[in-house]
Amino acid sequence: MELVFNRVTKQYKNKRAVEQISMTLTKGVYGLLGANGAGKTTLMRMMCGVLKPDSGEILYDGIKVEEEKYRDILGYLPQEFGYYPDFTAMDFLMYLASLKGIPKKQAKERSERLLNLVGLEQMKGQKIKIFSGGMKQRLGIAQSLLNDPKVLVLDEPTAGLDPKERVKFRNLISKLGSDRIVILSTHIVSDIEHIADVILLMKDGRMIHGGSLEEIVKVIEGNVWECRVEDHLVEKFVEDCLVLNIRQEKGKTFLRLICKKKPLETAVNVTAALEDLYLYYFNDKEEIGRKEE
């Protein structure tokens, strides 16, 4: 089971949205992180065969993603998925199952099971137009699983979910990744931090970093600090370091920051987190923290 990207490139007018991406994905959960405009959605649409690369190719076990038989093993939840507001949840899944060529009896059993899985079993006879945003998103997750896909692509799947729903979703994705390739794109760092086997960081159309959480945070290991300073000194630290967090605490200002050298005698070196790494790569002061490397 391999999803292979071979020098994949896509350009829109004067902007190269995806540039020369080569990588191989095997079974497991892959978290794709990047700021808006990084090229995540374009990359995901290409791996689903919705967009065609300008150059390069994407193959699943030798099958090109443009081929019809690839669609039989693909599940896709786009950032904004379409639905018919006057359909009930059950009718909607049965309709999509018929489009995927799933026999009626099997489709009914699978739709029932998936509605239960995403917590919509009590709403299966209700029209989608009365659903909340989170309920629609859960229905979208259910439809992406109808054909028991070997490649599951989820673009911002937790949008509209409350914290309790998000935890349930993360647990579900962890299970799904045991026997398929799951690619999850989100700007919610905690979603990926908890469930991704491999984290991929994308910036300006390029894949700039990838690996397990433990592997990728090594870039800033030893450079993350916490300290409390007098209010009038805060601006100096903002200028000299990459400040990750500021809050008022016990009459002083608490700072969490990235700095190559100990910024203050009382500063404490702390364990780097994924959010720290994200801010390290995607901030407006890119030279801070990296200028000495």
Side-chain angles (χ1 to χ4, degrees), residues 69-210:
K69 55 185 174 180
Y70 175 70
R71 303 195 184 282
D72 294 337
I73 53 92
L74 173 70
Y76 179 37
L77 175 61
Q79 197 166 350
E80 294 182 9
F81 83 97
Y83 60 90
Y84 298 100
D86 286 320
F87 274 35
T88 66
M90 188 67 180
D91 288 343
F92 179 67
L93 292 185
M94 288 295 290
Y95 171 68
L96 291 180
S98 70
L99 294 181
K100 292 175 183 285
I102 301 171
K104 190 172 182 179
K105 183 180 177 183
Q106 186 181 359
K108 189 173 187 302
E109 291 173 354
R110 195 169 291 177
S111 296
E112 294 269 10
R113 180 171 54 83
L114 289 171
L115 288 170
N116 182 64
L117 187 68
V118 298
L120 290 175
E121 64 276 11
Q122 300 299 320
M123 301 295 291
K124 66 179 183 180
Q126 300 297 315
K127 291 186 176 181
I128 301 172
K129 65 183 178 184
I130 70 165
F131 283 16
S132 67
M135 291 165 68
K136 290 172 184 172
Q137 199 68 4
R138 281 185 277 157
L139 184 62
I141 292 166
Q143 66 81 27
S144 72
L145 294 168
L146 272 170
N147 58 330
D148 193 23
K150 292 302 179 186
V151 177
L152 180 59
V153 180
L154 306 168
D155 195 359
E156 298 286 352
T158 58
L161 301 186
D162 64 31
K164 185 177 178 181
E165 291 173 322
R166 189 172 290 128
V167 170
K168 186 176 181 180
F169 169 78
R170 290 200 303 243
N171 293 338
L172 169 62
I173 293 303
S174 293
K175 294 175 185 175
L176 293 173
S178 63
D179 61 352
R180 73 193 80 208
I181 299 169
V182 180
I183 303 101
L184 163 69
S185 169
T186 182
H187 64 281
I188 302 171
V189 174
S190 60
D191 284 345
I192 285 179
E193 190 167 29
H194 282 92
I195 62 173
D197 300 303
V198 175
I199 298 167
L200 303 169
L201 289 165
M202 193 171 179
K203 184 174 185 179
D204 297 330
R206 292 179 176 272
M207 209 61 71
I208 60 171
H209 204 15

Side-chain angles (χ1 to χ4, degrees), residues 225-229 237 252 262-269:
W225 308 86
E226 289 183 354
C227 58
R228 290 169 183 81
V229 302
F237 285 98
K252 289 190 175 183
K262 192 171 185 177
L264 192 69
E265 189 58 38
T266 55
V268 178
N269 196 225

Side-chain angles (χ1 to χ4, degrees), residues 10 12 17-18 32 34-48 50-51 76-80 153-156 185-186 202:
K10 183 68 179 179
Y12 298 114
V18 172
L32 183 58
N36 290 336
K40 304 189 302 299
T41 294
T42 297
L43 181 64
M44 298 184 92
R45 293 183 74 191
M46 285 193 290
M47 70 176 75
C48 292
V50 178
L51 280 178
Y76 179 37
L77 175 61
Q79 197 166 350
E80 294 182 9
V153 180
L154 306 168
D155 195 359
E156 298 286 352
S185 169
T186 182
M202 193 171 179

